[in-house]
Amino acid sequence: MRVLPSGSTALLVELDGLDDVLGLYAALVAEPLDGVVDLVPAARTVLLVTDPSAVALADVEAAVRRVRPRPGRAGTGGTVELPVHYDGADLADVAALWGVDPDEVVRRHTGTGWTVAFCGFAPGFGYCTPDGDPWDVPRRDTPRTRVPAGAVGLAGPFSGVYPRESPGGWQLIGRTDVAVFDLDRDPAALLRPGVRVRFRAVSGAAS
Amino acid sequence: MSRAVTVLETGPLTTVQDLGRPGRGALGIGRSGAADRSAAALANRLLGNDAGAALLEVTYGGLVLRAEGDLLVVTTGARCAGSEAHNAPVPLPAGRGLRLGVPETGLRTYVGVRGGIDVEPVLGSRATDVLSGLGPPVVSAGDVLPVGPASALPPGVDLAALADPPGGEVTVRVLPGPRRDWFGDTGWTALTARPWTVTAESNRVGLRLDGEPLRREREGELPSEGMVRGALQVPPSGLPVLFLADGPVTGGYPVIAYVADDDVDRCAQLRPGQALRLRG
């Protein structure tokens, strides 16, 4: 664990990889540190945002060094099953990249468990990481200017669901009717760090 | 009739702001809220409002509004010609208007109303986040914004004696960021030795700074990592961006330094063309 400075109110904890991030984040959610008001997990780091009127950064640093990360991907945030119509515009391209047919892409995507490692890019956009060996899918050479809400994509080692219409460079393999970000729900984001995800293939047109 | 303000003109940009949505970074939701927190807090204190009451953030003046019902109003932050309520609350009787001219110095003026602007909150806050699109829509001419019930507290002091935001060069303190070492001592010296110029491509997300580009001493990709306001991120152009209230939750370019949190409010009052000196 490396603790890096981030100004007068925050500390950036750098770790070896996603599993360590998930383990530390899970521990910090289970037993919050005094004076820490927000946590931002990412691919290799967890940002600890403090209330400087309540705590000194040096004390937070000492405390985080004593935290015992939770082992494994126990799934601290429950499980979400997402029904997916696998009719994405890039499904054939991904299949060609892997030298398999599109059905095999669907089998691999539905056949493994996923864990939301962190959110980013947009509110409620969860970066899902697969159990087992990491995936590696290149982004599209040219990002799309408009990706619809609910689009299910792959990029690098991650899979994700676009929470709302936005530009995007991920390879789109399908779409879900489930609203992964809904302001009328609390919490608004379905795919939160630590949540376990299962994708399930459904047939028929999406509404 | 319930009390409200009718917006007749907005100037370049007027939004509703409050303390924002802290504590949701893990969902990819930024804090947002007033860009100059201390000016917004002063307005609420002067009015006897709760600290979390919403008010209007007016960018470069130009707001015209009319009182629907008898109101108590105050302006703080950048002092606009035409405001008799600057740092000192005044009654605005029903039907009377408030017309803000262009500020002589500073950029953002807060217009507070006793009772607070009572639009519908989104995820616990009435702040408009111009990056994520969360919160109430940007204020438009013709909007009728409801005013909430006054708190039990009486209005605070009559007048806050406070210097206006400065018009010339501004100096703020900087502290190391997580990727200071990507730029070495040479980079740190370059960052802190000369003043930077605030460009016109600046907004609530951040200030884009112009000057001598910073050079990285190491190459490589950086996986996105969390940031808070005050971060000085260096994109491939070498020209730093200073993130403000609506800055992104994570970023994939190295953060060389942070402006000390207490000094970020003053940065939110900088206008295009102003010089910013970062003191290490």
Side-chain angles (χ1 to χ4, degrees), chain B residues 16 25 33 35 77 80 95 119-120 129 159 163 203 205 215 232 236 259:
Chain B
V16 179
C80 291
V119 295
E120 199 61 37
D129 183 335
L159 171 73
N203 55 23
V205 175
R215 282 209 197 87
L232 280 154
V259 171

Side-chain angles (χ1 to χ4, degrees), chain B residues 16 19 31 94 99 115 117 125-126 134 174 178 207 229 259 273:
Chain B
V16 179
L19 298 173
R31 173 161 171 178
R99 174 179 290 270
I117 300 291
S125 164
R126 297 178 173 86
L134 291 178
V174 290
L207 300 181
R229 76 170 194 163
V259 171

